[in-house]
Amino acid sequence: MFAGGEMSRIHIDGKVVEWVDLLKKRHGLWRLDVWPFAILYACWLLTVVPSIDFGDAVIVFGGLVAIHILVLLFTAWSVDFRCFVQYSKVKDIYHADACKIIPSKFSGSKEVVPLHFRRTLSGSSSTPLDAEEIYFDFRKQCFIFSKERETFCKLPYPSKETFRYYLKSTGYGSEAKAAAATEKWGRNVFEYPQPTFRKLMKEHCMEPFFVFQVFCVGLWCLDEYWYYSLFTLFMLFLFESTMAKARLKTLTELRRVRVDAQTLMVHRCGRWVELPGTELLPGDVVSIGRSSGQNGEDKSVPADMLILAGSAIVNEAILTGESTPQWKVSILGRGFEEKLSIKRDKSHMLFGGTKILQHTPDKSSHLKTPNGGCLAIVLRTGFETSQGKLMRTILFSTERVTANSWESGLFILFLVIFAIIAAGYVLKKGLEDPTRSRYKLFLSCSLIVTSVIPPELPMELSIAVNTSLIALARRGIFCTEPFRIPFAGKVDICCFDKTGTLTSDDMEFRGVDGLTDSMDLQSDMTNVPVRTVEILAACHALVFVDYKLVGDPLEKAALKGVDWSYTSDEKAMPKKGGGQAVQIIQRHHFSSYLKRMSVVVRVQEEFFAFVKGAPETIQDRLTDLPSSYVDTYKKYTRQGSRVLALAYKHLPDMAVSEARSLERDLVENDLTFAGFAVFNCPIRADSASVLSELRGSSHDLVMITGDQALTACHVASQVNIISKSTLILSPARNGDGFEWVSPDETDIIPYCEKEVEALSCSYDLCIGGNCFEMLQQTNSILQVIPYAKVFARVAPEQKELIMTAFKTVGRMTLMCGDGTNDVGALKQAHVGVALLNAVQPAQSGDPSSSQSSKSKTMPAKSKKSKSGSELNGDSKSISTLDPSAPGSNRHITAAEKQRQKLKQLMDEMNEEGDGRAPPIVKLGDASMASPFTAKHASVAPTIDIIRQGRSTLVTTLQMFKILGLNCLATAYVLSVMYLDGVKLGDMQATISGIFTAAFFLFISHARPLTTLSAARPHPNIFCAYVFLSLLGQFAVHILFLISAVNEASKYMPEECIEPDSDFHPNLVNTVSYMVNMMIQTATFAVNYMGHPFNQSIPENKPFFYALLAAGGFFTLITSDLLRNLNDWMKLVPLPEALRGKLLIWALLMFSTCYIWERLLRWAFPGRMPAWKKRQQEAAATLQKKHL
């Protein structure tokens, strides 16, 4: 039992799992899908069969079997229903043998998983058996029951210990401990079962809609519609098999990602042994360095590790997509009692899947590595590594995409109500006539009800989203969570990071200031003190990789600006003689938490500490602060320049090993000021135009940056984020409270949380990261953050807090940043866009843009150190894709050329898919950081994503309306015609089906317009506009139908039609079929949403021609020009007068519907969400909580 009493539901509240229900499986006979039906069948045999006609008894038996099959199917469709039927809830965990997992929002659907009990090995010989462990596996993660906390916790990994713990580690001391660890964490592999086509197809054929469609086809067959049924069935199987094939391809691609099986030296049982990477365990101490396979390809790191000694340069493109190699250093010099945080201490971590480009061992560590590698400790293995997490995201978001499932459910319910009314009416009338066959009557009623549920709905919805996915992939934008595409259409606030996102990565070094009182910028380095020049030349993290200098563009610009060179043995020296060489001894890397970096250097025989960082950070660490310090740096930040404070400190004589082990705090205190380095940070060419387009299309813009407030405000005003005068929130000068200050410090307004909303009407507000603590303490986050336009000097988790605040007040957020330090915020936003530095996108207005963007993104892929293609096992190198590429054989025979062309065409077709299958996202294309990854060095992809989002939203909305109207009309036609004993011909039904399918296909391929409009799409199906539109048009359609059928009845002789006889063409049938087809076509034309989101009807050429063809077809069959065609379709000739009337009425019906629809679009435009009310409610709730 639990210590705290009994409960059958356990709250977990994790990122993946919210609740867990404890269950016990019922035994075979006691299941609710077995014994109740056994009783029912017995009753049927003993009571029904003897008492009524045998034919009727068979109908009853058929009904029972249908219900039983439905119950069995429901256990496959609904997890809740399956639990109800096959399991019973238990309160004691020791009686449970399974559990129902209820995942967090957007983490997928519920699942039932087995609960496991195991005895754990303790790893020490004295106590062979330890306690019992209760756990379950869900989505490749293991959750263990903790008796103390009475809940399930994720299996813990040693990734949050103190640095002392890691430095003292020597790996597993005995085989028993290693065996216990293997038992606990398992092998370091990505294992998931390879699905077969049969298994996937079976899964797809069990889908509720598919079963429903097959059921409908069965009904049509019973009613003798053979062509139509077979046509529908063929379409269905074709669609399902292409979906299954696409999923199979995706999953097979993912299975190619393996943990590199390279052999490593691992310290086990007190000695170094060789083990394959797949046998690594969390807690193993290993020696790791650059190693390559037989083909000279670099091997990747097999697990997430922490470097204990040595340093390495790593290419992390596979995880972050960032092509700049990252420098990784050991944890020596960190405080012993500090705890590791993987988010914060990325500079000490080697992540699984990344490639080491070069490494430097450290000879001074307590464990010597036998092969000269870096000493590292394994923290996480398998699916828990960063690469494993990215794999899980991609794996478990390959589920079927729909735009909004609960809305489609409710919408269908709304339609079913109409159908039940129609079917009830038919049933009542039919039962009044004793001559009618009961079987045919029930068949007709079920046909009416089923006609309302559009079988193609899931198909249409997924096509709408997949068309967008493919369009984005062609433009170099990849998406791992397709359900977020419709969110992009609802976005109302766009947040941008500044550095590297709105501004370019290329820095220009302007010069040095702050050394004299004259406040003049010195750009001639000969007039600058030699110490200052040395700091600029040596205080950086630049490295040589394959004889090329790589690293931060700002540091490269500084080195170039002072005209020094840097060598691979970590020496900086002036290019023109005269100065002393500076030897770097130890580096303390830049961290966004400390906002500074430092190096310990030796110049001749003297030791120095060189430090650079944010002016306000260095300010507190100087022994002597110049009087003009603050004024000088503010002068440049107001101009939008990036300013770094430089400082140094003379260190006493010591050995090199002592200098290496100096604590960071000691190095970075009591400094002497050495001037400000001023850099220009040019804004990207298209940032201003993209942001003004976003602003013009009803989006609020916000900037969130780690840079200084004045710089941020300057850039924000240049890219249209700020248009009014600005106020910056900062601690008051007299040290008491906070105040709003204008950038030039002329306006000062005391801060009061109640007045923020009013202030935001006349000023644009900027909030500094140093105010967040105060906002959290006074619970005024929700009162202040939603009104600010610029956030400056924000740490990574504060970015996350800002996004959460925006979401809480009901805003749809888009965050655009780079994939390295904005991860939290990108994950929090509804739409996160990680920009990877690659090529410029093709222009969107260019009709051949998809081609040119393809060819332009090629170099990006090849630049990415082959990571993407190699990882996926694509042996095709770039040169085989492009026959004209250098290095490919020029002398190819003509036949070979043709073959290559054909292969390329086939590849392209396979690559692009047919709109039904989402494109495959490869690792290396996706970033760990966010759902959307764009390979562009500009913010333009945000516009593409929003355009596609709006287009998808509009397309799904119009689909719902069209399906709704078509189904209502069909239900009415079936009921009216049935009462008159009139049926549809088989050929008629088939042709009508082909038309509808074609229209839907052309609608879903409508392209979004190249520019965003100020109008916004309606975010939900349930709004006044949709309902009024549906009801208005439906009324017009019914009026047209009734008038036409009545008119036709006048011409019909009083011939008696047998209600249940086979199909015979007659006038009423011909007229109602024609009218129904006209209504269908008119519905497509009227409800098509063209401008301002998608192409208009004339621009969407296939749809336009299909409409013209349909119009021509009706005119042909109505005017009876081709008699043979009408005979083939079983249509009787119309009287002259009726022809004219029908065509005129059709025109009237179309124009009335068209005017009504346009009127409603004008009366109910899509609006900006009213978030201020939500914000006040949320703020009030938060206040109440804390009271």
Side-chain angles (χ1 to χ4, degrees):
M1 287 282 168
F2 302 7
E6 298 187 346
M7 53 205 278
S8 60
R9 172 165 276 199
I10 301 172
H11 188 229
I12 292 189
D13 200 18
K15 277 189 181 160
V16 184
V17 181
E18 181 99 19
W19 295 92
V20 170
D21 285 348
L22 300 177
L23 307 170
K24 185 172 176 61
K25 205 168 176 65
R26 299 178 198 264
H27 290 297
L29 281 174
W30 297 112
R31 285 173 28 171
L32 296 183
D33 52 359
V34 179
W35 66 263
F37 286 97
I39 295 171
L40 284 174
Y41 290 134
C43 290
W44 174 78
L45 198 63
L46 300 172
T47 60
V48 178
V49 176
S51 59
I52 62 171
D53 176 52
F54 186 69
D56 290 349
V58 170
I59 291 181
V60 173
F61 182 71
L64 278 179
V65 171
I67 292 171
H68 198 174
I69 290 173
L70 205 62
V71 168
L72 290 171
L73 281 170
F74 257 101
T75 57
W77 297 336
S78 158
V79 174
D80 291 325
F81 189 73
R82 178 157 86 243
C83 293
F84 171 67
V85 170
Q86 300 179 358
Y87 295 88
S88 52
K89 280 195 176 185
V90 289
K91 295 197 169 172
D92 180 357
I93 194 160
Y94 291 101
H95 293 162
D97 54 16
C99 42
K100 178 169 82 176
I101 313 293
I102 297 144
S104 314
K105 204 174 177 189
F106 296 127
S107 299
S109 44
K110 298 174 183 174
E111 256 176 66
V112 176
V113 294
L115 197 61
H116 304 284
F117 294 80
R118 67 174 173 206
R119 293 240 165 249
T120 52
L121 301 168
S122 67
S124 61
S125 51
S126 54
T127 53
L129 280 180
D130 205 349
E132 186 174 44
E133 207 169 54
I134 308 171
Y135 69 98
F136 64 83
D137 290 306
F138 175 66
R139 302 244 166 117
K140 302 295 168 201
Q141 281 183 303
C142 178
F143 292 83
I144 292 187
F145 184 68
S146 141
K147 292 193 178 70
E148 298 80 53
R149 296 171 56 189
E150 293 186 7
T151 179
F152 284 93
C153 306
K154 260 181 22 186
L155 175 66
Y157 280 76
S159 59
K160 293 190 172 103
E161 309 295 332
T162 60
F163 287 121
R164 180 192 300 278
Y165 166 88
Y166 296 121
L167 287 167
K168 285 173 78 173
S169 291
T170 54
Y172 290 99
S174 66
E175 285 300 333
K177 280 185 178 163
T182 312
E183 172 83 12
K184 181 175 179 183
W185 286 299
R187 292 177 66 226
N188 178 28
V189 285
F190 294 139
E191 277 177 338
Y192 33 93
Q194 167 69 35
T196 57
F197 179 72
R198 265 183 61 193
K199 192 177 153 208
L200 282 178
M201 196 60 199
K202 184 183 156 206
E203 203 181 295
H204 279 245
C205 292
M206 289 284 285
E207 295 262 319
F209 262 110
F210 186 82
V211 172
F212 174 73
Q213 285 160 316
V214 173
F215 172 65
C216 289
V217 168
L219 285 179
W220 291 110
C221 283
L222 288 175
D223 212 12
E224 290 143 22
Y225 288 104
W226 294 105
Y227 285 119
Y228 182 61
S229 312
L230 292 172
F231 164 72
T232 312
L233 206 59
F234 170 71
M235 286 280 293
L236 277 181
F237 273 101
L238 192 73
F239 175 65
E240 293 300 339
S241 56
T242 46
M243 285 291 284
K245 201 162 174 256
R247 275 186 65 195
L248 189 69
K249 195 173 163 193
T250 311
L251 294 167
T252 318
E253 281 282 341
L254 280 173
R255 274 185 67 84
R256 288 187 183 161
V257 181
R258 297 225 169 82
V259 171
D260 250 344
Q262 55 168 337
T263 47
L264 294 169
M265 297 302 284
V266 182
H267 197 260
R268 288 251 180 111
C269 308
R271 64 178 195 281
W272 289 97
V273 291
E274 278 196 351
L275 283 179
T278 49
E279 299 302 321
L280 289 182
L281 296 166
D284 264 331
V285 172
V286 299
S287 161
I288 187 149
R290 181 177 186 170
S291 64
S292 43
Q294 288 92 5
N295 53 4
E297 180 196 319
D298 283 342
K299 293 271 195 184
S300 54
V301 179
D304 287 359
M305 322 182 169
L306 180 72
I307 304 181
L308 303 178
S311 64
I313 287 137
V314 183
N315 174 9
E316 293 188 342
I318 196 86
L319 294 185
T320 58
E322 195 59 45
S323 51
T324 313
Q326 305 293 316
W327 185 313
K328 305 290 182 173
V329 292
S330 77
I331 57 174
L332 292 168
R334 291 297 296 264
F336 278 156
E337 299 313 316
E338 260 188 275
K339 283 203 169 174
L340 172 72
S341 149
I342 292 183
K343 262 188 186 170
R344 183 190 67 210
D345 301 318
K346 279 193 197 127
S347 60
H348 307 305
M349 291 287 304
L350 294 172
F351 292 108
T354 60
K355 299 196 172 171
I356 296 181
L357 303 178
Q358 66 188 47
H359 70 277
T360 322
D362 185 354
K363 308 285 190 300
S364 62
S365 70
H366 66 294
L367 269 179
K368 299 278 182 294
T369 53
N371 55 359
C374 297
L375 189 70
I377 181 168
V378 178
L379 299 185
R380 304 185 294 201
T381 54
F383 274 104
E384 277 304 311
T385 59
S386 296
Q387 185 185 15
K389 277 185 186 155
L390 182 58
M391 301 261 307
R392 282 205 314 258
T393 308
I394 296 175
L395 241 182
F396 296 114
S397 63
T398 56
E399 293 167 14
R400 276 205 163 178
V401 191
T402 57
N404 24 23
S405 43
W406 65 271
E407 287 199 331
S408 45
L410 279 176
F411 190 73
I412 286 174
L413 199 70
F414 164 70
L415 296 181
V416 167
I417 292 168
F418 269 91
I420 288 174
I421 295 170
Y425 178 62
V426 167
L427 191 65
K428 179 175 167 290
K429 288 282 187 201
L431 288 173
E432 285 170 7
D433 179 355
T435 58
R436 286 210 159 177
S437 147
R438 298 285 179 266
Y439 158 68
K440 287 271 185 176
L441 185 64
F442 283 114
L443 184 62
S444 286
C445 289
S446 33
L447 272 174
I448 291 171
V449 176
T450 52
S451 73
V452 188
I453 304 178
E456 58 271 22
L457 184 72
M459 218 183 326
E460 304 307 343
L461 292 185
S462 50
I463 286 179
V465 174
N466 293 337
T467 310
S468 293
L469 282 176
I470 290 166
L472 289 173
R474 280 186 193 153
R475 301 183 62 76
I477 302 164
F478 300 94
C479 173
T480 50
E481 298 174 7
F483 67 80
R484 290 184 185 270
I485 285 189
F487 282 176
K490 305 179 188 180
V491 163
D492 58 23
I493 183 163
C494 304
C495 311
F496 293 91
D497 176 41
K498 179 180 84 76
T499 318
T501 303
L502 294 170
T503 59
S504 90
D505 284 333
D506 306 321
M507 296 283 186
E508 301 158 10
F509 175 64
R510 283 180 60 190
V512 176
D513 197 351
L515 295 166
T516 57
D517 289 338
S518 66
M519 280 177 76
D520 285 335
L521 193 66
Q522 274 295 352
S523 47
D524 180 3
M525 286 300 119
T526 49
N527 302 336
V528 172
V530 85
R531 238 357 125 242
T532 305
V533 177
E534 285 172 356
I535 296 172
L536 284 168
C539 187
H540 55 64
L542 297 173
V543 289
F544 274 90
V545 176
D546 300 331
Y547 311 111
K548 245 179 81 191
L549 193 64
V550 294
D552 187 343
L554 180 122
E555 297 177 332
K556 281 193 198 164
L559 195 67
K560 190 176 153 199
V562 296
D563 203 23
W564 278 46
S565 64
Y566 178 64
T567 60
S568 53
D569 57 354
E570 306 210 332
K571 240 186 209 151
M573 45 183 54
K575 285 185 180 168
K576 303 189 179 84
Q580 306 291 341
V582 179
Q583 175 70 54
I584 297 171
I585 308 289
Q586 171 71 343
R587 277 189 174 88
H588 295 289
H589 282 260
F590 175 78
S591 109
S592 51
Y593 293 80
L594 301 173
K595 301 190 174 71
R596 59 177 187 273
M597 80 161 284
S598 59
V599 289
V600 176
V601 299
R602 190 167 65 182
V603 184
Q604 287 168 306
E605 290 308 308
E606 289 184 285
F607 285 98
F608 289 95
F610 288 170
V611 185
K612 70 173 185 199
E616 51 274 49
T617 314
I618 303 292
Q619 188 171 347
D620 308 332
R621 297 177 172 270
L622 297 176
T623 47
D624 184 21
L625 188 72
S627 56
S628 59
Y629 184 93
V630 176
D631 294 341
T632 310
Y633 83 75
K634 283 194 170 170
K635 170 183 154 188
Y636 292 106
T637 50
R638 276 190 202 111
Q639 298 165 10
S641 295
R642 181 102 179 261
V643 181
L644 290 177
L646 311 175
Y648 67 95
K649 167 184 185 174
H650 201 287
L651 296 173
D653 273 349
M654 57 180 97
V656 171
S657 59
E658 286 178 275
R660 280 222 168 96
S661 55
L662 283 175
E663 287 257 333
R664 182 163 188 166
D665 255 6
L666 187 85
V667 173
E668 296 174 356
N669 264 329
D670 307 327
L671 305 169
T672 309
F673 181 60
F676 291 114
V678 182
F679 297 86
N680 248 5
C681 183
I683 293 170
R684 290 194 198 277
D686 61 351
S687 292
S689 59
V690 168
L691 267 66
S692 79
E693 183 171 342
L694 283 173
R695 193 171 188 156
S697 55
S698 317
H699 293 96
D700 288 338
L701 303 178
V702 165
M703 181 196 282
I704 306 177
T705 175
D707 216 333
Q708 222 270 346
L710 293 165
T711 312
C713 290
H714 177 80
V715 174
S717 64
Q718 288 188 305
V719 293
N720 304 309
I721 291 178
I722 286 180
S723 50
K724 301 182 269 207
S725 44
T726 315
L727 290 179
I728 300 167
L729 183 63
S730 51
R733 295 176 174 199
N734 55 15
D736 187 27
F738 286 75
E739 58 191 17
W740 295 102
V741 185
S742 62
D744 55 5
E745 299 183 12
T746 49
D747 292 350
I748 296 178
I749 300 170
Y751 161 77
C752 167
E753 62 199 50
K754 304 266 190 313
E755 293 163 13
V756 174
E757 187 178 345
L759 264 182
S760 70
C761 298
S762 39
Y763 293 97
D764 283 328
L765 306 180
C766 164
I767 294 176
N770 53 358
C771 308
F772 274 74
E773 210 171 300
M774 176 275 293
L775 293 176
Q776 277 169 307
Q777 283 165 357
T778 56
N779 296 323
S780 46
I781 290 252
L782 296 181
Q783 285 162 300
V784 180
I785 285 185
Y787 295 102
K789 285 287 176 76
V790 177
F791 297 92
R793 280 281 184 257
V794 231
E797 58 270 14
Q798 290 173 334
K799 290 188 178 183
E800 219 170 313
L801 183 84
I802 295 167
M803 297 317 293
T804 324
F806 280 136
K807 279 163 73 178
T808 314
V809 300
R811 308 215 62 173
M812 272 284 175
T813 52
L814 175 142
M815 170 76 196
C816 178
D818 59 38
T820 40
N821 56 4
D822 300 330
V823 181
L826 290 168
K827 280 272 185 222
Q828 270 301 326
H830 290 106
V831 180
V833 188
L835 296 184
L836 309 181
N837 45 10
V839 278
Q840 288 290 341
Q843 284 307 308
S844 48
D846 174 18
S848 63
S849 66
S850 63
Q851 289 308 310
S852 52
S853 72
K854 244 189 203 166
S855 55
K856 283 187 184 177
T857 47
M858 268 306 171
K861 285 218 171 112
S862 54
K863 206 166 63 179
K864 250 180 34 217
S865 77
K866 307 182 290 195
S867 62
S869 56
E870 281 174 2
L871 190 101
N872 291 298
D874 289 356
S875 52
K876 304 180 288 192
S877 65
I878 298 294
S879 60
T880 54
L881 281 178
D882 180 5
S884 63
S888 64
N889 190 354
R890 293 285 167 82
H891 314 286
I892 309 175
T893 60
E896 184 69 0
K897 254 188 184 158
Q898 268 317 101
R899 205 180 65 76
Q900 277 200 357
K901 255 192 184 158
L902 207 89
K903 186 172 176 301
Q904 198 173 342
L905 256 174
M906 289 299 293
D907 280 354
E908 260 179 32
M909 278 170 70
N910 282 339
E911 217 172 70
E912 288 173 14
D914 51 2
R916 302 189 202 138
I920 295 165
V921 179
K922 298 188 171 81
L923 278 163
D925 284 345
S927 155
M928 288 190 308
S930 75
F932 292 91
T933 308
K935 307 212 147 176
H936 297 313
S938 105
V939 287
T942 50
I943 288 197
D944 283 330
I945 291 169
I946 289 175
R947 273 174 42 218
Q948 289 296 349
R950 285 184 170 188
S951 171
T952 306
L953 206 59
V954 163
T955 306
T956 43
L957 192 73
Q958 75 192 9
M959 278 185 183
F960 275 121
K961 284 176 62 184
I962 292 168
L963 285 169
L965 284 166
N966 280 352
C967 294
L968 290 174
T970 313
Y972 183 77
V973 169
L974 285 173
S975 55
V976 169
M977 287 162 72
Y978 181 75
L979 286 175
D980 292 344
V982 180
K983 294 174 62 170
L984 264 184
D986 190 4
M987 210 60 227
Q988 297 174 350
T990 313
I991 283 182
S992 156
I994 290 173
F995 263 116
T996 315
F999 279 146
F1000 267 127
L1001 196 69
F1002 298 145
I1003 271 195
S1004 64
H1005 283 285
R1007 296 217 178 112
L1009 295 182
T1010 46
T1011 48
L1012 284 174
S1013 72
R1016 297 178 64 86
H1018 289 276
N1020 303 41
I1021 303 171
F1022 293 100
C1023 55
Y1025 156 69
V1026 175
F1027 273 111
L1028 289 173
S1029 170
L1030 276 181
L1031 294 173
Q1033 291 184 58
F1034 183 50
V1036 176
H1037 294 171
I1038 291 291
L1039 189 69
F1040 177 37
L1041 242 172
I1042 293 174
S1043 322
V1045 171
N1046 286 347
E1047 194 66 23
S1049 315
K1050 288 181 193 167
Y1051 290 92
M1052 267 192 60
E1054 290 299 316
E1055 63 182 75
C1056 178
I1057 300 168
E1058 281 298 316
D1060 299 319
S1061 60
D1062 288 343
F1063 170 73
H1064 290 298
N1066 64 27
L1067 193 59
V1068 169
N1069 158 265
T1070 302
V1071 167
S1072 43
Y1073 174 66
M1074 284 176 181
V1075 167
N1076 198 20
M1077 286 285 281
M1078 287 170 183
I1079 286 175
Q1080 276 194 6
T1081 311
T1083 303
F1084 276 99
V1086 168
N1087 292 288
Y1088 176 81
M1089 291 262 201
H1091 289 200
F1093 307 110
N1094 286 343
Q1095 297 168 314
S1096 60
I1097 294 184
E1099 288 166 341
N1100 185 354
K1101 291 283 187 291
F1103 183 55
F1104 183 55
Y1105 293 137
L1107 279 180
L1108 287 181
F1113 181 71
F1114 296 141
T1115 316
L1116 266 181
I1117 57 174
T1118 315
S1119 55
D1120 208 10
L1121 291 174
L1122 298 174
R1123 189 60 251 159
N1124 292 358
L1125 174 73
N1126 285 20
D1127 287 344
W1128 179 67
M1129 285 183 66
K1130 309 259 176 53
L1131 298 173
V1132 299
L1134 297 180
E1136 283 288 332
L1138 189 58
R1139 279 182 213 171
K1141 267 189 186 168
L1142 262 188
L1143 286 173
I1144 290 167
W1145 283 354
L1147 258 171
L1148 263 175
M1149 178 265 306
F1150 174 75
S1151 38
T1152 314
C1153 288
Y1154 185 83
I1155 292 165
W1156 175 244
E1157 173 67 15
R1158 287 295 170 279
L1159 197 71
L1160 287 175
R1161 282 186 201 178
W1162 170 80
F1164 298 99
R1167 287 204 170 83
M1168 269 293 258
W1171 59 273
K1172 290 193 176 176
K1173 194 170 163 222
R1174 263 291 284 277
Q1175 181 265 332
Q1176 284 154 3
E1177 287 165 11
T1181 325
L1182 192 73
Q1183 290 288 0
K1184 269 186 208 153
K1185 259 192 197 168
H1186 287 277
L1187 289 173

